Amino acid sequence: MRFRHRRVAAAAALATAAVVGLPACSAVLDGEESLVDADSLVVGVKADQPGLGLEAENGGFEGFDVDVALYIADRLGIPGENVEFVGVTSAEREEKLLNGEVDMVVATYSITPGRKTQVTFGGPYYVAKQDVLVRAEDTDIQGVRDLDGMSVCQGAGSNSAARITEGLGIPVERVEGETYSDCIAQLRDGRVDAVSTDNLILAGFLAEDPGAFRFVNNPFTDEKYGVGLPYGDIEACEAVNKAISRMYQEGEATEMLDRWFGNTDLEMVHSVPQFEGCD
């Protein structure tokens, strides 16, 4: 069964639950089967982030997030040929889960309290840290506080710049690009002074063009990458967490990380992340 065709009813149930004050998870899952019963999946991944989720010339997708999704699907008993990948932006991840266009999202999807009101998260499958990427020649920027008064680009739907201005109280000019590829293009041609987001995202762009940019390498937040699942699918969440644990214990996670980021100076984490819980 391909679950995206069943999620529209689930999304409607979620909306009804919000209006009448019912528990959302029971409203969504009454009469609905868990993703653990699926024989195929549609997974949302990024399409423009090198090393994480990138659409190749042949129309396929590649990157760490894609590898993680395939590993999880395999542990759920779903072969790779039954996994369909579609590109999603940061701004549309919740929408595509809620309206049933995708069954799962593995797209540098940070777990936050606000998002947990609409999405059940497995994981995290990796804990990244927010850092800063600048042009290679901009040696005066050695830490996030050196961005005071400068322009910083973030992708649409991201909270990265807000963590600098509101979280750390550092006044920067916040510029929003359509995607992080757009931000990197603006950094390359001098329209912005820096791009700040999760270090795995930045490492992917750095690996693609190492001579043009450099890491500030002074991280200042933890970003817990979760596997986005339909709200209330606790059984799938628990199965995903078991798969992630095994992925690290068997060394698969280390191989994936080295494959995509081993030629950068990123300090990677190779131990099982502390899970958020599925309730």
Side-chain angles (χ1 to χ4, degrees):
M1 64 193 71
R2 185 175 293 283
F3 272 75
R4 65 173 174 175
H5 299 314
R6 304 169 61 84
R7 289 276 83 80
V8 175
L14 178 59
T16 302
V19 172
V20 301
L22 295 174
C25 61
S26 61
V28 170
L29 291 182
D30 280 350
E32 289 291 318
E33 297 182 65
S34 168
L35 290 186
V36 300
D37 301 313
D39 53 28
S40 63
L41 286 176
V42 180
V43 182
V45 295
K46 292 295 182 67
D48 67 329
Q49 290 182 350
L52 285 159
L54 187 68
E55 188 170 9
E57 292 183 0
N58 63 4
F61 290 81
E62 61 183 22
F64 176 64
D65 284 355
V66 176
D67 289 351
V68 169
L70 287 171
Y71 183 91
I72 291 171
D74 181 68
R75 297 306 306 166
L76 293 177
I78 301 171
E81 60 267 25
N82 288 354
V83 180
E84 176 187 348
F85 290 101
V86 297
V88 298
T89 66
S90 296
E92 62 190 14
R93 290 173 295 201
E94 285 94 4
E95 177 187 357
K96 287 188 178 293
L97 263 176
L98 288 171
N99 68 19
E101 291 184 58
V102 299
D103 303 308
M104 179 185 294
V105 173
V106 187
T108 63
Y109 201 4
S110 295
I111 302 171
T112 67
R115 289 169 177 165
K116 288 174 75 172
T117 64
Q118 300 183 78
V119 175
T120 289
F121 283 100
Y125 61 91
Y126 191 80
V127 180
K129 294 182 179 294
Q130 186 168 340
D131 211 320
V132 178
L133 198 70
V134 298
R135 288 179 291 275
E137 65 270 18
D138 290 343
T139 57
D140 290 341
I141 302 175
Q142 297 297 324
V144 65
R145 298 201 174 273
D146 294 330
L147 297 175
D148 191 334
M150 294 187 177
S151 55
V152 178
C153 189
Q154 69 173 25
S158 172
N159 298 315
S160 298
R163 296 189 191 104
I164 298 174
T165 56
E166 298 165 17
L168 299 177
I170 302 170
V172 300
E173 177 190 350
R174 292 162 60 173
V175 178
E176 190 167 279
E178 183 177 347
T179 64
Y180 274 105
S181 290
D182 181 27
C183 284
I184 293 298
Q186 293 189 53
L187 178 63
R188 179 180 283 107
D189 63 21
R191 284 177 286 162
V192 297
D193 298 306
V195 178
S196 184
T197 188
D198 312 343
N199 55 7
L200 274 191
I201 296 175
L202 297 177
F205 286 111
L206 182 65
E208 190 177 52
D209 195 354
F213 309 110
R214 69 173 180 86
F215 258 134
V216 169
N217 248 338
N218 190 0
F220 52 94
T221 67
D222 286 340
E223 302 303 323
K224 301 175 182 179
Y225 287 172
V227 177
L229 302 165
Y231 190 86
D233 195 342
I234 305 303
E235 189 176 1
C237 176
E238 292 172 345
V240 165
N241 287 352
K242 289 179 182 177
I244 294 170
S245 292
R246 185 162 179 168
M247 184 177 74
Y248 277 89
Q249 291 164 356
E250 293 182 340
E252 293 287 338
T254 294
E255 289 184 13
M256 295 175 192
L257 289 164
D258 287 344
R259 180 183 309 135
W260 297 107
F261 308 108
N263 62 342
T264 72
D265 59 355
L266 176 68
E267 293 185 8
M268 294 175 284
V269 179
H270 300 285
S271 57
V272 181
Q274 182 175 346
F275 295 140
E276 288 284 293
C278 293
D279 53 354

